């Protein structure tokens, strides 16, 4: 048995451990809760809590915590020990069913978007048995939902679970029309996580990296990614050691980390796990991000999960590979002959309808201050949502829309012309890196989310929008049980015709695409400020309300939280930028200008007739550059002060996006243009050349 097999899942209270440690009746009841959604009573919870505590203590745990996801998007935890003092001065270790299934964190200190106030502090966490408990740093972590005293969801997990329930109910209605018995239907997710690793020493010298996660100023590196040599290149020993420890830690936690490699940009890497149900996959992704940040310091590195930490090179995304599983079968698998696979066509048409109808919500789900810098170039999709189906499915869809016969494209055999190399079958479709929502064989890859984001946001929308599509199909087809096949096929054709505009297999970076998208009626929200208002549209509120995923108050709260986070992020970046210019860059420019002026004066004293055209031009460049920087700095300061006076968060976001950020970019360009300082090795902070040493 290999070491991986020895350690995998050892820190997880998973089905295997439950089966070993729980009484048979308790285990069966808990499995019915996990797999069939049956309610869990307190008597069963007490038995589970005792077994969980004994297992955790054996593995060195001394505390437990309800591990949850507040609206900040990260994870939170409050640690309580198992210790229970007794009257003789000693203590026993106890953990009850009530402590397992319910906790009480302070609800007023987390983002709530107005759902909670400081004087309304009470909130509750509730055990989510569908995501396994695990041990981290001697603490038993129990994945939980988080709600207010009045029952409103204050977290990312609760609406995700509601959306998963919605898609399961509607998918089973559709499957029943195909004669299939009720079964467990779950959306599945595989989260490809991109990230940067840079030197801890360089990181500590960059105030912008430490405070904002990205370089607010960045002189272009002499060598970036233009040689295309980093992608899949040999991994540096220090990075490989980090990856090895990361794999080991994740495997202990039951995270199926599968693939690791260098990404396109210098210092950029990726980790991809195997699929899991959406709820568990997102929990595991958040664990992965946390472990990346913590373990990097073991190797003198810092892990950057910002979407665009460096200009001039690729940013980092988090590709959300999404599918639907029913009884272990992938409902988005087209099979050998997709045109005759009616069930697949129904679910495919449902996805196309969902993405088209709720394209603005999907764009909004990936909106953030950091992701605004990433979208639109360097292998990140544009802000216009579209779908790539590939050649094979495109032929299927076009044949159905035109009501014509379909001719399958035969899979070609690849012959590389070398006898020793094997021939192999080529896939029926290529890939499109510029597509926001691409079909990749038996799943869809949503490529818009940024590396720092919590994937609950986009999956809540995907699941709920898909539930809406399936509901409309089931509502109509339940009146056509006698002629179901013909009626279903007609429905698929009609749906594809109505939503064909969302399908685009071309180059999303082309100059023609925005104009074409506008002609098709597709939305193009370029900034977070532009994208967020659709969250509180009546269309959005109706969708979430219809499936009890989010109430109107919960929708508005999340909109407010996103607005506040965006505005606060820009505020921090502006304040950091002003401080860096005033304390670091302008003093360096002025000091160098003074030195140049001093040298000019000294030379004139020694040689009055000496030609100092070059030195004088250098001094003029420095002084003019400092003037331009000061002008942009003054303008930024005025706009920033004005924005802080705006009480309406959407108005402030609009000002940040369309007035302040352009000035920030002008200021950045003005500072970065001072390459003369860099060339003389007088730049006061590490440049990209220094930071990207680990390329």
């Amino acid at each position: 048995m290999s070491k991986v097999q020895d350690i995998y899942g050892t820190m997880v209270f998973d089905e295997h451990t439950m089966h070993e440690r729980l009484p048979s009746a308790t285990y069966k009841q808990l499995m019915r809760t996990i797999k069939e959604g049956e309610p869990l009573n307190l008597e069963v919870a007490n038995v589970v809590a005792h077994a969980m505590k004994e297992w955790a203590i054996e593995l060195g745990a001394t505390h437990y915590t309800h591990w949850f996801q507040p609206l900040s998007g990260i994870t939170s935890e409050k640690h309580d020990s198992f210790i229970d003092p007794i009257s003789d001065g000693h203590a026993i270790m106890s953990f009850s069913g009530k402590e397992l299934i319910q906790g009480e964190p302070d609800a007023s200190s987390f983002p709530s978007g107005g759902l909670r106030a400081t004087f309304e502090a009470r909130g509750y966490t509730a055990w989510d048995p569908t995501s396994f408990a695990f041990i981290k740093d001697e603490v038993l972590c129990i994945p939980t939902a988080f709600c207010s005293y009045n029952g409103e969801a204050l977290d990312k997990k609760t609406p995700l679970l509601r959306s998963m329930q919605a898609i399961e109910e509607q998918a089973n209605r559709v499957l029943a029309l195909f004669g299939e018995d009720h079964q467990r239907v779950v959306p599945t997710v595989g989260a490809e996580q991109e990230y940067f690793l840079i030197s801890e020493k360089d990181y500590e010298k960059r105030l912008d990296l430490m405070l904002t996660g990205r370089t607010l100023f960045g002189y272009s590196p002499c060598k970036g990614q233009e040689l295309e040599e980093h992608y899949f290149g040999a991994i540096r020993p220090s990075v490989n050691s980090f990856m090895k420890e990361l794999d080991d830690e994740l495997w202990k936690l039951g995270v199926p980390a599968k693939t690791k490699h260098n990404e396109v940009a210098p210092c950029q890497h990726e980790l991809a796990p195997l699929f899991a149900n959406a709820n568990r996959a997102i929990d595991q992704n958040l664990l992965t991000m946390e472990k990346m940040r913590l373990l990097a310091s073991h190797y003198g590195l810092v892990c950057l999960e910002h979407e665009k930490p460096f200009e001039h090179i690729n940013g980092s995304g988090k590709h959300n590979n999404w599918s639907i599983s029913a009884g272990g079968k992938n409902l988005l698998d087209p099979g050998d002959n997709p045109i005759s696979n009616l069930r697949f066509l129904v679910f495919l048409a449902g996805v196309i309808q969902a993405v088209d109808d709720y394209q603005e919500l999907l764009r909004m789900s990936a909106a953030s201050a950091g992701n605004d810098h990433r979208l639109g170039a360097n292998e990140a999709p544009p802000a216009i949502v579209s779908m790539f189906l590939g050649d094979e499915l495109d032929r299927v869809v076009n044949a159905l829309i035109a009501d014509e016969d379909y001719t399958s494209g035969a899979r070609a055999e690849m012959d590389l012309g070398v006898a020793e190399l094997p021939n192999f079958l080529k896939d029926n479709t290529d890939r499109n890196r510029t597509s926001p929502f691409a079909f990749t064989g038996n799943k869809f890859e949503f490529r818009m989310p940024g590396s720092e984001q919590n994937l609950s946001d986009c999956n809540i929308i995907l699941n709920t929008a898909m539930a809406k599509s399936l509901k409309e199909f089931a509502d109509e087809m339940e009146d056509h049980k006698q002629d179901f096949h013909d009626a279903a096929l007609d429905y698929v054709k009609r749906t594809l015709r109505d939503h064909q505009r969302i399908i685009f297999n071309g180059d999303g970076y082309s100059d023609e695409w925005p104009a074409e998208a506008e002609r098709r009626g597709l939305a193009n929200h370029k900034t977070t400020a532009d994208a967020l208002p659709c969250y509180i549209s009546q269309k959005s509120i109706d969708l979430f309300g219809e499936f009890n995923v989010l109430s109107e108050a919960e929708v508005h709260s999340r909109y407010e939280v996103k607005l506040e986070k965006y505005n606060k992020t820009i505020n921090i970046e502006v304040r950091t930028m002003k401080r860096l210019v005033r304390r670091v860059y302008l003093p360096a420019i002025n000091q160098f200008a003074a030195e140049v002026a001093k040298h000019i004066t000294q030379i004139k004293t020694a040689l009055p007739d000496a030609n100092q055209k070059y030195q004088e031009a250098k001094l003029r460049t420095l002084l003019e550059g400092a003037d331009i920087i000061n002008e942009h700095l003054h303008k930024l300061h005025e706009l920033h002060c004005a924005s802080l006076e705006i009480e309406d968060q959407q108005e402030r976001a609009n000002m940040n996006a369309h007035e302040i950020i352009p000035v920030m970019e002008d200021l950045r360009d003005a500072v970065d243009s001072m390459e003369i300082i860099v060339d003389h090795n007088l730049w006061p902070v590490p440049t990209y050349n220094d930071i990207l040493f680990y390329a």
Side-chain angles (χ1 to χ4, degrees):
M1 182 180 288
S2 69
K3 183 184 177 185
V4 175
Q5 291 170 302
D6 288 339
I7 67 173
Y8 192 87
T10 52
M11 294 296 177
V12 186
F13 197 71
D14 54 18
E15 286 188 33
H16 177 77
T17 306
M18 293 177 195
H19 189 268
E20 283 186 340
R21 290 181 172 264
L22 294 175
S24 178
T26 304
Y27 171 76
K28 290 177 181 178
Q29 177 62 48
L30 183 58
M31 287 302 104
R32 285 196 292 270
T33 297
I34 293 173
K35 297 184 177 181
E36 300 173 23
E38 286 192 9
L40 186 70
N41 62 50
L42 184 58
E43 183 179 342
V44 172
N46 279 324
V47 178
V48 175
H50 177 75
M52 193 182 286
K53 178 206 69 176
E54 293 298 310
W55 166 80
I57 290 173
E58 287 175 17
L59 292 173
T62 57
H63 291 68
Y64 69 92
T65 183
H66 278 196
W67 188 76
F68 60 102
Q69 304 169 33
L71 294 180
S72 59
I74 56 176
T75 60
S76 296
E77 51 196 66
K78 178 187 72 171
H79 301 173
D80 290 301
S81 73
F82 292 119
I83 292 176
D84 186 7
I86 55 179
S87 58
D88 65 359
H90 289 263
I92 60 173
M93 306 291 268
S94 67
F95 183 51
S96 68
K98 183 178 179 181
E99 290 170 320
L100 169 63
I101 65 177
Q102 180 183 322
E104 188 184 334
D106 188 334
S108 66
S109 300
F110 293 101
S112 71
L115 288 179
R116 293 270 84 187
T118 303
F119 68 92
E120 299 172 316
R122 194 180 296 276
Y124 300 106
T125 49
W127 177 35
D128 169 22
T130 65
S131 188
F132 300 134
F134 56 91
I135 296 172
K136 176 173 66 75
D137 303 324
E138 291 83 45
V139 178
L140 172 64
C141 298
I142 303 158
T144 56
F146 178 40
C147 68
S148 75
Y149 180 70
N150 297 320
E152 300 104 338
L154 293 175
D155 65 343
K156 304 278 187 177
K157 178 184 281 280
T158 302
L160 176 67
L161 293 172
R162 293 171 182 168
S163 73
M164 293 173 67
Q165 180 173 295
I167 203 171
E168 179 175 27
E169 290 174 358
Q170 301 307 321
N172 267 304
R173 289 182 65 198
V174 173
L175 294 174
L177 294 167
F178 285 92
E180 299 187 31
D181 295 334
H182 186 279
Q183 51 197 308
R184 187 69 166 166
V185 177
V186 293
T188 59
V189 167
E192 302 174 32
Q193 179 71 49
E194 295 176 344
Y195 60 99
F196 282 82
L197 290 174
I198 65 169
S199 165
E200 203 167 32
K201 294 180 180 178
D202 291 332
Y203 172 81
E204 291 170 352
K205 295 176 183 177
R206 295 283 312 223
L207 184 68
D208 48 2
L209 275 176
M210 289 192 291
L211 295 184
T212 72
R214 74 181 183 103
T215 50
L216 297 173
F217 302 95
Y219 176 69
S220 298
C222 297
K223 176 187 175 185
Q225 62 189 50
E226 60 269 29
L227 294 181
E228 300 171 333
E229 60 186 352
H230 194 251
Y231 189 55
F232 281 19
I235 300 172
R236 291 179 61 92
S238 58
V239 174
N240 192 62
S241 297
F242 160 80
M243 289 180 168
K244 177 64 173 68
E245 185 177 0
L246 178 62
D247 278 341
D248 288 345
E249 290 299 308
L250 293 179
W251 288 335
K252 291 176 187 176
L253 292 166
V255 179
K258 179 71 172 177
T259 302
K260 57 184 180 183
H261 59 82
N262 287 350
E263 256 298 336
V264 173
C267 297
Q268 190 185 29
H269 312 279
E270 180 180 299
L271 184 147
L274 296 174
F275 277 63
N277 76 59
N279 174 35
R280 196 175 302 160
I282 292 167
D283 283 355
Q284 291 176 345
N285 177 250
L286 294 169
L287 261 178
T288 298
M289 294 171 68
E290 179 185 319
K291 285 295 181 183
M292 284 176 171
R293 294 190 297 268
L294 293 175
L295 296 179
S297 63
H298 295 182
Y299 305 91
L301 302 172
V302 170
C303 178
L304 301 179
E305 293 168 350
H306 191 281
E307 289 83 0
K308 190 74 170 176
F310 305 102
E311 280 293 327
H312 316 296
I313 59 176
N314 279 18
S316 291
K318 177 148 48 193
H319 305 149
N320 186 83
N321 294 281
W322 177 86
S323 190
I324 312 172
S325 173
K329 303 184 298 290
N330 187 345
L331 296 177
L332 294 182
D333 187 347
D336 295 331
N337 190 11
I339 194 69
S340 63
N341 187 344
L342 182 58
R343 187 183 69 179
F344 166 73
L345 293 177
V346 167
F347 278 87
L348 174 65
V351 177
I352 292 171
Q353 177 185 348
V355 174
D356 185 28
D357 282 345
Y358 296 100
Q359 53 180 283
E360 291 182 89
L361 276 178
L362 282 173
R363 165 65 183 100
M364 181 280 303
S365 73
S368 71
N371 214 24
D372 282 355
H373 298 290
R374 166 182 167 263
L375 294 177
N378 300 114
E379 297 193 34
I384 304 167
V385 174
S386 64
M387 297 181 69
F388 169 81
L389 297 181
D391 297 337
E392 183 72 9
L393 279 191
D394 204 42
R395 283 194 293 268
V396 171
V397 169
N398 288 334
L400 290 169
I401 289 173
D403 210 7
E404 298 175 347
D405 291 336
Y406 161 75
T407 303
S408 175
R411 293 185 67 186
E413 186 176 85
M414 297 289 286
D415 183 354
L416 299 180
V418 179
E420 291 81 3
L421 296 178
N423 293 348
F424 55 90
L425 292 177
K426 184 173 74 170
D427 289 312
N428 280 336
T429 184
D430 203 345
R431 291 184 175 180
N432 188 334
R433 292 302 189 194
T434 69
S435 176
F437 202 85
F439 188 74
T440 55
N442 60 4
K443 63 185 185 300
F444 281 95
E445 182 182 29
F446 186 39
R447 296 177 59 83
M448 289 185 98
S451 55
E452 206 167 38
Q453 292 178 300
N454 185 315
L455 288 178
S456 293
D457 290 341
C458 65
N459 284 289
I460 289 167
I461 292 164
L462 274 174
N463 296 341
T464 313
M466 185 61 177
K468 174 76 169 174
S469 298
L470 296 176
K471 181 179 183 296
E472 291 183 2
F473 174 82
D475 287 346
E476 184 170 327
M477 289 301 107
E478 283 171 352
D479 295 329
H480 290 274
K481 293 183 179 179
Q482 300 303 317
D483 60 340
F484 171 69
H485 184 278
D486 292 341
L489 191 57
D490 287 343
Y491 186 97
V492 168
K493 292 177 181 179
R494 185 170 74 247
T495 301
L496 294 176
R497 291 189 191 107
D498 291 345
H499 300 282
Q500 187 179 13
R501 66 174 184 169
I502 200 69
I503 300 171
F504 177 65
N505 291 334
D507 181 4
Y509 293 164
S510 68
D511 294 336
E512 296 78 19
W513 171 231
E516 169 64 16
E518 184 178 6
R519 186 190 66 77
R520 295 186 184 196
L522 301 180
N524 184 7
H525 299 310
K526 296 181 180 180
T527 72
T528 295
D530 300 331
L532 289 181
C534 75
Y535 207 170
I536 54 171
S537 68
Q538 194 58 49
K539 182 178 179 180
S540 168
I541 292 169
D542 290 345
L543 173 69
F544 293 124
E546 181 177 356
F547 296 96
N548 298 314
V549 172
L550 291 168
S551 68
E552 184 170 351
E554 289 170 336
V555 171
H556 277 273
S557 73
R558 280 151 178 76
Y559 164 72
E560 291 293 336
V561 168
K562 284 181 174 289
L563 274 176
E564 287 182 9
K565 184 172 183 179
Y566 176 76
N567 288 330
K568 288 175 180 177
T569 299
I570 302 302
N571 180 47
I572 292 169
E573 289 186 351
V574 170
R575 291 167 66 185
T576 305
M577 182 173 259
K578 291 195 295 184
R579 176 164 293 190
L580 279 168
V581 171
R582 289 168 176 161
R583 294 190 178 184
V584 177
Y585 294 113
L586 279 177
I589 294 169
N590 292 334
Q591 182 180 352
F592 187 35
E595 291 180 8
V596 173
K598 179 181 178 181
H599 293 160
I600 291 173
T601 301
Q602 290 174 339
I603 291 172
K604 280 186 176 180
T605 301
L607 292 171
D609 298 330
N611 184 352
Q612 298 194 67
K613 187 192 318 183
Y614 172 72
Q615 289 87 342
E616 289 170 354
K618 182 189 297 185
L619 180 59
R620 190 172 295 108
T621 297
L622 291 168
L623 296 177
E624 289 175 354
D627 284 343
I628 294 172
I629 291 170
N630 272 306
E631 287 175 9
H632 291 317
L633 179 62
H634 180 69
K635 186 175 181 181
L636 178 62
H637 178 71
E638 286 188 331
L639 287 172
H640 182 225
C641 291
S643 74
L644 297 179
E645 297 296 320
I646 300 174
E647 293 186 4
D648 184 85
Q649 291 290 336
Q650 182 64 57
E651 287 184 20
R652 185 184 296 183
N654 292 338
M655 183 175 184
N656 281 328
H658 301 296
E659 296 183 54
I660 289 181
I661 288 178
V663 177
M664 291 174 67
E665 291 171 349
D666 289 341
L667 179 57
R668 176 190 184 116
D669 291 343
V671 172
D672 292 349
S673 69
M674 292 285 96
E675 57 186 279
I676 188 172
I677 310 289
V678 178
D679 291 341
H680 285 76
N681 201 31
L682 296 172
W683 209 234
V685 296
T687 65
Y688 282 4
N689 288 333
D690 303 317
I691 297 172
L692 300 178
F693 174 76
Y694 279 89

